[in-house]
């Protein structure tokens, strides 16, 4: 008989070897500039053929490789994390389906098959967000799936729009520009914004943290939220003919808003979720500035260190009896040394500390933005957002590791060997993944000629942000008195600029009143009296007749059949 955990181990090993193979093949395709466009004919009948098309180039293969490697580590981690869960096998198959939906979306050059993967991501993410069945999870799941429905509708409209142009393969339209492509690219940007949670669709991303931590690790690193960025990277040649100033402003506002909100947050999961939102804003912004390959590089490096960050946070929350408040943590280095080491590695990589994984993409992004010729506002928001990223990162490190010992006596600290093994691979990728990918993608070095003060500006903001984060933590500026003194500012910034309210009860509050009024007038009013409680026994007779039919339908069918047969003979 199979061990109860063997399904996790088997799935993890399979995905790991598939991921490494895919990454190596993608590297080969990149070096030799090789692309495979494959048509698989599923059915051919009367001259009409149903085909499935796959596009294997270096972008799709490298991304699939990274998704598979991260997923294998997350599934292996789940073996221990979900060990006591009754439905752990169902959880495994849901995660596997989630990863396969992402792969389907990545290798499709066709909007129809992209929609299959996109819908798969949306539906399976709903099942995973409501996995722990309580009221909060149901609300978060509904917000997640309804926001992502907007993106699905946008892709459906794009499919309808492309019906006039001969093919649903978007790659046929990349090298051209016509007036109709404005509408197509607007719909694709809308779909990308909903999936990647840009303003005004940002509120679902922190809500989706109701899912189990391994799922959050997958969602925030390499699957659901990166689908929108990946889709826009694929359509980037069309975007180059398009004035992106407005959507660039929205992406930058997302980046700034998330960084500011994370500095005022005390929930560990919410801080990491807002950190993801900030990095997604950075990817989108540099994409709209006209550097899709830089955006893709940051997408991959971010996937490595963000998955590790979530796994470390999962261990900490697990040991704290599911408490997520960083004010109750402190001095964890004494109890969880390996987890804290990995936590620091992923955080340093997130900050863009020199020669960590995130540095190779972030530094290039900032230099490209500096040399892009945009205005001072873009320049300022980019650098302030980088400073805010380092600020909230150092704040979290200070509270979790160096703050006073604030934990309760009932907490049982212990590191699991299975969790540690899964974190080792991701820690190595968070250290060396950025350099490896940047040497592979930019085999000829990208040269940005800038003055010395602009060249040093990213490093200056990194160290300034770290110092500010430490100062804000050590003098308790984020604590009770100052928050009360500037209550509106702290509340406004800490609640994502009131976006969760706009997405929820401010949107449907009035319709609830309307439906209540209709219910009182119709169902609970004269309709109830006239139809259900009528002095005439019409409805009760009808319901008895329906019941008789429902419970005797086979008899009635046979009787009718015999009668028709007799009448036909006559």
């Amino acid at each position: 008989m199979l061990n109860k955990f063997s399904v996790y181990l088997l799935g993890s090993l399979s995905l790991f070897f598939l991921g490494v193979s895919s990454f190596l093949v993608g590297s080969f395709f990149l070096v030799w500039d090789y692309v495979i466009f494959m048509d698989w004919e599923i059915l051919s009948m009367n001259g009409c053929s149903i085909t499935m098309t796959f596009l294997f180039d270096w972008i799709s293969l490298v991304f699939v490789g990274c998704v598979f490697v991260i997923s294998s580590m997350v599934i292996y981690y789940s073996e221990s994390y979900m060990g006591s869960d009754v439905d752990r096998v169902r959880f495994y198959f849901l995660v596997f389906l989630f990863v396969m939906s992402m792969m389907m979306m990545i290798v499709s050059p066709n909007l129809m098959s992209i929609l299959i993967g996109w819908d798969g991501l949306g539906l399976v993410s709903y099942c995973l967000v409501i996995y722990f069945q309580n009221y909060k999870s149901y609300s978060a799941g509904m917000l997640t799936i309804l926001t992502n429905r907007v993106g699905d509708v946008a892709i459906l409209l794009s499919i309808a729009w492309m019906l006039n142009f001969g093919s649903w393969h978007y790659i046929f339209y990349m090298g051209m520009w016509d007036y109709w492509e404005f509408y197509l690219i607007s719909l694709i940007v809308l779909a990308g914004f909903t999936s990647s949670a840009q303003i005004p669709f940002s509120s679902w991303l922190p809500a989706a943290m109701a899912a189990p931590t391994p799922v959050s690790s997958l969602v925030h690193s390499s699957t659901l939220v990166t689908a929108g960025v990946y889709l826009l990277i694929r359509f980037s040649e069309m975007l180059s003919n398009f004035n992106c100033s407005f959507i660039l402003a929205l992406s930058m506002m997302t980046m700034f808003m998330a960084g500011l909100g994370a500095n005022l947050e005390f929930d560990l999961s919410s801080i990491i979720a807002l950190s993801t939102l900030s990095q997604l804003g950075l990817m989108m912004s540099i994409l709209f500035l006209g550097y899709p390959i830089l955006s893709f590089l940051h997408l991959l490096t971010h996937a490595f260190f963000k998955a590790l960050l979530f796994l470390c946070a999962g261990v900490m929350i697990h040991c704290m009896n599911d408490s997520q408040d960083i004010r109750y943590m402190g001095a964890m280095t004494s109890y969880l040394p390996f987890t804290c080491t990995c936590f620091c590695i992923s955080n340093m990589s997130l900050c863009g500390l020199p020669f960590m994984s995130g540095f190779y993409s972030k530094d290039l992004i900032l230099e490209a933005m500096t040399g892009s010729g945009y205005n001072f506002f873009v320049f300022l928001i980019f650098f302030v957002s980088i400073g805010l990223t380092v600020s909230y990162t150092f704040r979290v490190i200070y509270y979790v590791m160096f703050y006073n010992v604030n934990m309760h006596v009932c907490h049982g600290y212990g590191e699991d060997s299975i969790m540690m093994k899964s974190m080792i691979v991701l820690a190595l990728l968070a250290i060396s993944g950025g350099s490896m990918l940047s040497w592979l993608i930019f085999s000829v070095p990208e040269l940005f000629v800038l003055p010395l003060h602009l060249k040093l500006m990213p490093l200056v903001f990194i160290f300034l942000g770290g110092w500010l984060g430490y100062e804000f933590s050590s003098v308790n500026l984020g604590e009770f008195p100052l928050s009360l003194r500037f209550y509106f500012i702290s509340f406004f910034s800490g609640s994502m600029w009131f976006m969760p309210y706009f997405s929820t009860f401010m949107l449907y509050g009035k319709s609830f009143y309307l439906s209540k009024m209709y219910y009182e007038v119709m169902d609970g009013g004269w309709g109830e009296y006239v139809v259900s409680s009528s002095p005439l026994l019409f409805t009760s007779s009808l319901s008895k007749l329906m019941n008789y039919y429902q419970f005797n339908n086979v008899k009635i069918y046979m009787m009718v059949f015999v009668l028709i047969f007799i009448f036909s003979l006559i």
Side-chain angles (χ1 to χ4, degrees), residues 226-242:
T226 55
V229 181
Y230 179 78
L231 187 68
L232 286 172
I233 288 169
R234 284 300 198 185
F235 277 87
S236 57
E237 283 189 38
M238 276 192 189
L239 279 168
S240 60
N241 299 306
F242 187 63

Side-chain angles (χ1 to χ4, degrees), residues 349-367:
S349 190
L350 168 65
C351 292
L353 207 71
F355 313 115
M356 300 293 282
S357 185
F359 168 76
Y360 288 91
S361 53
K362 270 197 171 181
D363 198 61
L364 263 179
I365 283 173
L366 286 170
E367 288 183 358

Side-chain angles (χ1 to χ4, degrees), residues 45-319:
M45 189 182 292
N46 297 333
C48 176
S49 62
I50 297 172
T51 56
M52 184 79 200
T53 314
F54 299 105
L55 173 65
F56 297 108
D57 62 347
W58 73 270
I59 291 183
S60 61
L61 284 168
V62 166
F63 195 24
V64 165
C66 292
V67 169
F68 278 3
V69 167
I70 290 168
S71 306
S72 68
M73 292 300 107
V74 169
I75 287 172
Y76 187 57
Y77 175 93
S78 305
E79 177 183 331
S80 174
Y81 192 88
M82 305 297 289
S84 58
D85 194 77
V86 180
D87 301 314
R88 55 185 168 270
V89 176
R90 183 182 69 182
F91 174 79
Y92 164 76
F93 282 110
L94 278 172
V95 170
F96 193 74
L97 194 60
F98 196 54
V99 175
M100 289 301 114
S101 299
M102 187 66 192
M103 190 205 76
M104 179 77 178
M105 206 218 89
I106 292 169
V107 297
S108 299
N110 183 316
L111 272 180
M112 290 290 274
S113 46
I114 280 175
L115 184 69
I116 298 168
W118 193 276
D119 258 345
L121 283 171
L123 293 171
V124 179
S125 68
Y126 175 71
C127 296
L128 287 166
V129 169
I130 65 164
Y131 185 80
F132 296 135
Q133 295 173 10
N134 54 55
Y135 183 76
K136 185 187 171 189
S137 296
Y138 294 150
S139 306
M142 195 52 72
L143 179 60
T144 302
I145 197 168
L146 288 180
T147 309
N148 280 290
R149 286 299 92 185
V150 178
D152 296 344
V153 170
I155 290 186
L156 279 168
L157 289 172
S158 307
I159 288 169
W161 192 259
M162 288 181 82
L163 205 60
N164 306 312
F165 301 105
S167 172
W168 282 309
H169 293 322
Y170 64 82
I171 54 170
F172 294 161
Y173 305 111
M174 286 292 110
M176 56 181 285
W177 181 251
D178 203 353
Y179 72 94
W180 59 269
E181 290 195 20
F182 169 78
Y183 304 103
L184 176 65
I185 204 68
S186 301
L187 289 167
I188 295 296
V189 166
L190 176 62
F193 265 46
T194 55
S195 177
S196 295
Q198 304 296 295
I199 287 176
F201 306 106
S202 304
S203 54
W204 72 264
L205 193 64
M209 298 298 298
T213 303
V215 175
S216 299
S217 177
L218 263 183
V219 165
H220 287 254
S221 63
S222 55
T223 50
L224 184 61
V225 295
T226 55
V229 181
Y230 179 78
L231 187 68
L232 286 172
I233 288 169
R234 284 300 198 185
F235 277 87
S236 57
E237 283 189 38
M238 276 192 189
L239 279 168
S240 60
N241 299 306
F242 187 63
N243 183 7
C244 300
S245 302
F246 176 66
I247 44 182
L248 170 65
L250 288 179
S251 300
M252 289 194 312
M253 286 295 102
T254 308
M255 179 168 58
F256 177 71
M257 176 268 296
L260 197 61
N263 275 290
L264 294 159
E265 186 62 66
F266 286 105
D267 186 315
L268 182 60
S269 294
S270 295
I271 292 171
I272 303 175
L274 289 168
S275 155
T276 305
L277 194 54
S278 174
Q279 300 306 304
L280 286 168
L282 181 64
M283 291 173 214
M284 285 286 196
S285 303
I286 199 65
L287 174 61
F288 295 135
L289 280 173
Y291 297 94
I293 302 301
L294 278 183
S295 180
F296 184 65
L297 175 62
H298 191 58
L299 181 66
L300 297 178
T301 55
H302 171 260
F304 296 142
F305 59 73
K306 190 49 64 76
L308 177 63
L309 191 56
F310 264 104
L311 297 190
C312 296
V315 175
M316 290 170 179
I317 292 166
H318 212 53
C319 292

